[in-house]
Amino acid sequence: MAVEPQRTLTDLPFEVLDLIFRALARRPQGHWGYTDLHFSKDKLSLAETSEYLGKAFAYHSRDIYKRAMYDSSYRYISKRDWPVILSLCGSTVVEYVGSPGCCWSAEVAQGVAEHCPNLQTVKFQVYSDNGDLVLAVIHRAKSSISSLTFGYAIYDPSKIGPNIMHKIPELPQLKSLKIDYFFVNEAYEIQRFANIEELYLSTPYSQREDPKPLNLFKVCAPLKKLRRLTVIGVHIISETDEIEAIPDFPALEHFKLACSTISMEFPSCPQLKILEIGYTKCHIEGLVCRSVLKQGEDLERLIVESRPSQYDNESLLEVIRKFKKLRFFEVPIRKIKFDLEFVRKLMGALKENGITEEDPLELVFDEISKINWLRLWVRLIFINRERISIY
């Protein structure tokens, strides 16, 4: 009688080995934190015994290791385990987080740089000793990265790393760029990423009392697809004393500026729906008002918290009359006087804009005494107060 050849695990198809790997991850009922798909040392040990079983482990784990992130508080996957996992499953990893939000690990970063060419989202902090590693991560996945978030560890002078923006390669798929914290002297490097749709720039807290000068709109002018722009802690100013032509921002829908100084006029943004100017300074009379009125008529939400206050009765009415879709407006009212004539004009403008109880305008003002006068005049002229919410 012929003896059948001995069969081993490597003779089994991936679908059967998938069930075995699932079984190795099981724990007795009530063991906290485990499911069929969780990591276990047994699975990884089996995967390391042969190339075939390593590929089977990758098949089994194809939906598990989408994110590479080392967290010392998660005791199941160690620094030593991650390089092995990445060598087997690196092609399925689409997100790398290298701090903040987790613990920095050179071993994990090296594994990602060697084995993860399909990253879509990359997040990291630049320290004094990791610049080359994080750049290697970016270079490895430069054709697929669509979201990049990084910053410099400025809270500890001994850990501040060198500037890396000029070393980042072209990223043709990049749609979102967030730099927190950001150094103004790197700003023009952003122009290389022409397909960006979302941009977030935040300078260190130590620079916000006296923000660094930056011609923000010149920096962003080549970014024709930019839809969302958030900037914190800069002095927006022209680089020349001559009048400078500012191109339109054709796609911008949301612009948020905070903790900054404004010394030049904003560009026109015909698609803008949300404009938020918070905790800013502007010492050029009428500049903020002119910048707001240059925007397209689709504006729905407007916050103008600039000091000193620029809006008076006439400029407030101009805003409400132009932006008929406006449904939220927050503004300092130091220069505004609510008398009967002005309130009649205000209510008339709201009526023309189609403001109703079902579709009100929310006004947020900063002086209680004037708000009380506004409420009084509204009651006296018998206008439906539900057209306007006053805070």
Side-chain angles (χ1 to χ4, degrees):
M1 178 183 295
V3 178
E4 291 188 8
Q6 187 176 3
R7 297 177 66 84
T8 68
L9 288 175
T10 56
D11 296 314
L12 298 175
F14 283 178
E15 291 78 7
V16 175
L17 290 170
D18 182 35
L19 299 176
I20 294 175
F21 279 118
R22 285 175 179 267
L24 288 173
R26 291 183 183 275
R27 291 295 184 272
Q29 187 174 4
H31 192 284
W32 182 85
Y34 277 97
T35 71
D36 287 352
L37 296 181
H38 272 78
F39 168 83
S40 78
K41 293 283 188 181
D42 295 336
K43 289 201 295 185
L44 198 58
S45 297
L46 179 60
E48 290 185 274
T49 59
S50 76
E51 181 181 355
Y52 183 79
L53 291 178
K55 292 180 179 179
F57 174 79
Y59 173 81
H60 162 74
S61 305
R62 60 195 179 277
D63 294 321
I64 302 175
Y65 300 111
K66 296 290 188 180
R67 174 191 290 178
M69 180 181 76
Y70 172 64
D71 187 345
S72 60
S73 65
Y74 184 67
R75 58 190 176 89
Y76 303 112
I77 307 181
S78 69
K79 288 183 182 181
R80 293 182 296 275
D81 295 325
W82 268 113
V84 178
I85 293 171
L86 293 172
S87 69
L88 299 170
C89 306
S91 63
T92 63
V93 176
V94 295
E95 180 179 3
Y96 167 62
V97 181
S99 79
C102 66
C103 303
W104 167 254
S105 167
E107 295 88 345
V108 176
Q110 186 64 48
V112 172
E114 291 178 2
H115 303 293
C116 301
N118 300 315
L119 295 175
Q120 297 174 15
T121 301
V122 175
K123 303 176 184 178
F124 59 83
Q125 193 93 1
V126 181
Y127 300 107
S128 57
D129 58 353
N130 74 344
D132 290 340
L133 258 183
V134 295
L135 285 169
V137 169
I138 296 174
H139 274 275
R140 185 73 171 93
K142 63 183 179 181
S143 298
S144 60
I145 294 174
S146 60
S147 176
L148 176 61
T149 301
F150 74 95
Y152 295 93
I154 59 103
Y155 53 83
D156 184 347
S158 66
K159 292 185 177 181
I160 297 178
N163 293 3
I164 66 167
M165 273 292 288
H166 63 289
K167 295 182 179 180
I168 295 177
E170 300 296 325
L171 303 174
Q173 301 302 320
L174 190 66
K175 297 293 188 293
S176 174
L177 175 62
K178 179 177 180 179
I179 311 177
D180 185 9
Y181 296 111
F182 152 79
F183 293 125
V184 167
N185 60 0
E186 292 189 304
Y188 282 93
E189 293 293 333
I190 294 168
Q191 295 182 336
R192 295 190 291 117
F193 309 111
N195 291 323
I196 288 177
E197 296 179 6
E198 297 186 14
L199 177 61
Y200 179 103
L201 303 174
S202 178
T203 60
Y205 286 107
S206 60
Q207 297 181 10
R208 293 180 188 176
E209 193 63 32
D210 184 21
K212 302 289 186 182
L214 177 68
N215 190 334
L216 176 67
F217 306 121
K218 185 176 181 180
V219 168
C220 296
L223 310 179
K224 300 302 183 183
K225 297 180 181 180
L226 190 64
R227 294 185 299 103
R228 187 182 184 98
L229 174 61
T230 300
V231 180
I232 302 172
V234 301
H235 182 182
I236 302 177
I237 188 169
S238 175
E239 296 162 346
T240 175
D241 293 333
E242 299 178 4
I243 297 176
E244 189 172 1
I246 308 171
D248 291 356
F249 280 45
L252 194 65
E253 297 178 359
H254 187 160
F255 179 26
K256 179 176 181 179
L257 179 69
C259 304
S260 298
T261 300
I262 304 171
S263 296
M264 69 178 294
E265 201 166 297
F266 291 7
S268 173
C269 310
Q271 302 299 320
L272 197 67
K273 292 182 172 62
I274 299 174
L275 175 58
E276 299 180 356
I277 303 172
Y279 307 105
T280 61
K281 301 174 185 177
C282 181
H283 300 287
I284 302 175
E285 185 68 29
L287 179 62
V288 173
C289 301
R290 292 196 302 273
S291 295
V292 169
L293 289 171
K294 287 178 67 175
Q295 308 314 314
E297 296 182 355
D298 289 335
L299 197 66
E300 299 173 0
R301 179 181 176 88
L302 175 61
I303 298 175
V304 186
E305 293 179 352
S306 63
R307 305 291 175 174
S309 177
Q310 296 208 358
Y311 277 90
D312 57 17
N313 289 38
E314 192 59 37
S315 54
L316 182 74
L317 280 176
E318 277 189 277
V319 168
I320 291 176
R321 285 168 173 162
K322 175 173 181 177
F323 301 112
K324 300 185 182 302
K325 297 181 181 180
L326 193 65
R327 292 302 178 265
F328 183 95
F329 186 15
E330 180 174 348
V331 62
I333 55 173
R334 182 180 177 183
K335 292 184 175 181
I336 297 173
K337 181 180 179 181
F338 290 106
D339 55 27
L340 180 58
E341 181 183 359
F342 174 69
V343 174
R344 285 187 188 278
K345 291 179 179 178
L346 179 62
M347 295 300 110
L350 295 176
K351 183 177 180 180
E352 290 177 7
N353 289 358
I355 300 300
T356 65
E357 182 176 352
E358 293 75 24
D359 187 20
L361 168 65
E362 184 175 351
L363 289 176
V364 179
F365 296 148
D366 62 344
E367 295 188 27
I368 295 298
S369 59
K370 291 186 178 181
I371 292 173
N372 291 335
W373 274 108
L374 175 57
R375 288 192 174 117
L376 174 63
W377 291 123
V378 168
R379 285 196 297 268
L380 286 176
I381 57 181
F382 304 105
I383 299 291
N384 181 358
R385 286 182 295 145
E386 294 301 324
R387 287 179 179 157
I388 177 171
S389 300
I390 309 166
Y391 298 96

